Amino acid sequence: MAKMRTVYNCGDCGASHHKWAGKCDSCGAWNSLVEDVEDPNEVTTLAAGMALVPPGEAQPINQLDAAVAKPMPTGISELDRVLDGGLVPGSVTLVGGEPGIGKSTLLLQLLSSWPTKSLYVTAEESAQQVRMRAERLHALRDDLWLLSEASITNIISAIEKVKPELIVIDSIQAVADPALGSAPGSVVQVRGCAHRLVQEAKRRNIPTILVGHVTKEGGLAGPRVLEHVVDTVLSFEGERHHALRIMRAVKHRFGSTSELGLFEMTELGLVGVPDASKMFLADRKPGTPGSVVVPTLEGQRPLLVEVQALTNATSGNAPARRSAQGLDPGRLAMLLAVLERRARISLSQHEVYASVVGGVKLNDPGSDLGLCLALVSAATNTPAPGDVVVCGEVGLGGEIRHVGHMSRRLAEAARLGFTRAIVPASGDYSQKGLTLQPASTLSEALAIAQLNGR
Ligand code: TYD
Ligand code: MG
């Protein structure tokens, strides 16, 4: 038997190094290398697994049947939207997210709506804990089997015995192979166990879902280690103190990655939010200075969100405070500079707070103009018109630039009852129910919104 050897694996990307270093050569992460032991037999076991698969034969592409892998709906419509239809037989899906975001909750709900026999393997919680949660979620059913186990060998024998048609492993970091010398959660363990489960899923042709925790510190072997092993990577995101949860596909071998699913965490678990714009605007108080509605896009999905700003004059020479929530602070700083130079509105002697309501993160440059108007509205204590949405990217010259998918954004604004939109003058847009007010510069947009500065 070959000897175990010490290696240093990157907890972020999984790259293996022979020597310790402060920085991973492969992904550039700092302090991410962790000592591990590598078992040369792991490779042999994997090779043996591969040998079970019959040898492939090349075929003309036109003679292949493309319809073999039809997705099976999960019964959770927001999830099916992200998966482009559902779970494909034999596919392995990794669901990543920070602890406490709601991965176990969502998957338990999925298992309870799955039409056939399913197996939930909990490697972190006791079977009683899971049962209690399932009771609260009204997720108890005869076809849902539960196993509290962390050893991969025992998990695979349970799969053999139960013969489920859907498997959920919660979480892959807590599963370990006792034959591999390294600690549970290490790169070697996570990769080794995931490989075994992938083989099992392909061999039995059943969908398998692996839960993977992501921590900001990268303390555990991150899901990035597994991205190339699985077919689909879903990322479950949200602010812990907000109810909104967003599910995105980061990688999807069976469909598009552009859709996203929206959920709200409630007393009864996660509830799909088919009309997110309505939810985000529910608490809006039109007529408040500093509030502007922006039609943004999350993936392919149009969303109306409220951007808010608050400014406060400061005294003294210390740099005024800037705070951005749900927005890039660098973008806020740039827009403040553009406002000062191109529209002669200086907030250098003001504290500036800007935020996006509802726990949404705006990365869309189309929200620039809305944020500028919110800032000026706050600074001049003048409300922006309540029936207006604002969309456009702001350039360093103070020019308003075209943004993508305008028709989808404007249609969403019209659907929610807005009657006017300030849009880039360079585009040729139209939308039934909306009066479009084109602006080519920041100053023009401020004049249209009757926010003419001081
Ligand atoms: P959980 O699914 O355990 O998160 P993860 O598996 O991603 O670590 O969910 C954790 C949080 O969700 C927990 O703090 C409580 C909250 N929660 C609800 O608000 N409603 C519910 O019905 C459930 C089950 C959980
Ligand atoms: Mg969990």
Side-chain angles (χ1 to χ4, degrees):
M1 191 169 147
K3 242 179 91 207
M4 304 261 202
R5 62 190 173 125
T6 303
V7 290
Y8 299 89
N9 288 324
C10 172
D12 254 21
C13 72
S16 183
H17 305 255
H18 293 296
K19 276 197 202 140
W20 191 86
K23 185 180 176 189
C24 171
D25 281 347
S26 184
C27 70
W30 287 95
N31 278 330
S32 64
L33 299 198
V34 190
E35 186 175 334
D36 218 334
V37 283
E38 192 163 75
D39 183 354
N41 292 320
E42 184 199 350
V43 184
T44 331
T45 326
L46 288 176
M50 298 292 281
L52 293 175
V53 184
E57 238 176 73
Q59 287 180 50
I61 192 164
N62 270 327
Q63 287 174 21
L64 280 170
D65 184 2
V68 274
K70 206 162 169 277
M72 301 184 277
T74 63
I76 297 182
S77 58
E78 289 295 301
L79 194 58
D80 290 340
R81 183 200 277 259
V82 183
L83 289 168
D84 222 354
L87 291 166
V88 171
S91 69
V92 179
T93 304
L94 175 70
V95 177
E98 286 178 30
I101 208 75
K103 301 179 294 296
S104 305
T105 306
L106 181 68
L107 294 174
L108 209 47
Q109 289 178 263
L110 158 61
L111 289 161
S112 90
S113 63
W114 192 252
T116 52
K117 198 188 233 184
S118 60
L119 175 65
Y120 181 70
V121 180
T122 169
E124 291 181 354
E125 294 170 293
S126 70
Q128 284 70 25
Q129 279 171 318
V130 175
R131 178 175 163 133
M132 260 163 54
R133 177 183 293 163
E135 253 171 58
R136 274 209 304 125
L137 295 168
H138 304 300
L140 292 178
R141 59 190 300 257
D142 290 341
D143 262 356
L144 169 49
W145 288 59
L146 193 57
L147 171 70
S148 177
E149 177 62 64
S151 146
I152 188 73
T153 327
N154 296 346
I155 292 172
I156 288 178
S157 23
I159 295 172
E160 180 64 55
K161 220 161 105 199
V162 176
K163 300 198 167 43
E165 289 177 37
L166 169 68
I167 304 170
V168 173
I169 309 285
D170 191 358
S171 68
I172 186 67
Q173 280 121 341
V175 174
D177 185 346
L180 299 174
S182 57
S186 67
V187 172
V188 167
Q189 282 285 6
V190 168
R191 208 164 32 198
C193 293
H195 267 295
R196 299 270 301 268
L197 291 162
V198 170
Q199 277 171 14
E200 212 52 32
K202 305 284 171 211
R203 198 161 68 82
R204 296 176 183 274
N205 202 31
I206 47 174
T208 298
I209 300 178
L210 311 178
V211 173
H213 294 295
V214 199
T215 56
K216 285 202 175 111
E217 300 75 34
L220 291 169
R224 285 177 59 192
V225 173
L226 297 178
E227 275 179 13
H228 59 282
V229 180
V230 298
D231 300 300
T232 301
V233 180
L234 301 180
S235 155
F236 205 31
E237 301 161 12
E239 297 280 329
R240 229 198 253 201
H241 302 291
H242 278 109
L244 181 74
R245 298 287 180 274
I246 298 180
M247 178 74 91
R248 297 172 205 280
V250 178
K251 162 183 175 178
H252 194 24
R253 283 190 179 145
F254 308 106
S256 120
T257 51
S258 55
E259 282 291 350
L260 91 170
L262 293 166
F263 297 90
E264 194 180 1
M265 182 59 98
T266 71
E267 295 285 289
L268 286 174
L270 289 150
V271 180
V273 182
D275 195 346
S277 300
K278 206 162 163 186
M279 182 176 95
F280 292 139
L281 298 183
D283 296 325
R284 188 171 74 105
K285 300 254 175 304
T288 311
S291 154
V292 169
V293 176
V294 169
T296 182
L297 274 191
E298 274 284 1
Q300 296 289 312
R301 203 162 167 175
L303 279 185
L304 292 194
V305 293
E306 182 184 357
V307 175
Q308 291 187 333
L310 182 73
T311 63
N312 245 338
T314 54
S315 51
N317 297 326
R321 189 181 154 79
R322 272 94 185 78
S323 146
Q325 226 179 67
L327 294 158
D328 174 19
R331 198 88 194 166
L332 173 64
M334 182 207 104
L335 293 174
L336 286 169
V338 175
L339 274 172
E340 179 156 356
R341 286 300 298 274
R342 309 292 176 199
R344 290 181 303 284
I345 293 169
S346 168
L347 294 173
S348 59
Q349 299 299 310
H350 286 71
E351 294 178 338
V352 174
Y353 302 90
S355 86
V356 186
V357 174
V360 183
K361 287 197 179 69
L362 274 190
N363 295 317
D364 171 19
S367 57
D368 286 354
L369 184 57
L371 177 56
C372 286
L373 265 53
L375 289 165
V376 178
S377 163
T380 56
N381 205 27
T382 315
D387 61 334
V388 166
V389 295
V390 179
C391 190
E393 180 176 349
V394 175
L396 290 179
E399 79 280 14
I400 311 299
R401 311 182 73 99
H402 168 77
V403 294
H405 305 287
M406 202 58 154
S407 54
R408 234 177 267 167
R409 299 171 192 252
L410 296 177
E412 181 74 351
R415 185 180 74 80
L416 276 125
F418 288 85
T419 56
R420 287 191 288 155
I422 302 180
V423 294
S426 55
D428 184 16
Y429 317 114
S430 71
Q431 171 62 48
K432 196 166 157 266
L434 276 188
T435 306
L436 301 185
Q437 301 186 289
S440 58
T441 64
L442 195 46
S443 307
E444 270 180 47
L446 289 170
I448 294 170
Q450 294 175 319
L451 299 167
N452 290 319
R454 289 155 297 171

